[in-house]
Amino acid sequence: FYVDLALCLGHQLEIVTFKCPPEYGAARNIHGVPLAACKRMAEALKQPLPKRWRQYERVIEVNMEAA
């Protein structure tokens, strides 16, 4: 819904996905999201984006050695 709405309103769109272990994301989050919830979200994000959205996706691989 939000992607389609943004495009209809003429906004530039970029979907950014950070690839890192859920433990890393949980340790850095500032909202108090529990690790179990981060793991569920990470699992849900394994599904590819809808085909029509993929042109807007940018994936960032987090270098765990430098983190």
Side-chain angles (χ1 to χ4, degrees), residues 6-60:
L7 294 174
C8 286
L9 293 173
H11 293 282
Q12 289 186 335
L13 182 67
E14 182 175 42
I15 301 169
V16 180
T17 303
F18 289 90
K19 299 284 185 172
C20 66
E23 293 80 8
Y24 178 77
R28 291 183 47 96
N29 91 75
I30 61 171
H31 304 289
V33 179
L35 176 58
C38 290
K39 287 182 176 182
R40 283 193 306 273
M41 289 186 276
E43 193 61 35
L45 287 172
K46 288 182 180 178
Q47 297 293 322
L49 289 174
K51 193 173 187 176
R52 67 182 193 274
W53 294 1
R54 291 182 195 154
Q55 62 184 318
Y56 305 108
E57 183 178 32
R58 180 167 58 111
V59 177
I60 298 173

Side-chain angles (χ1 to χ4, degrees), residues 62-67:
V62 177
N63 180 351
M64 296 308 297
E65 292 177 12

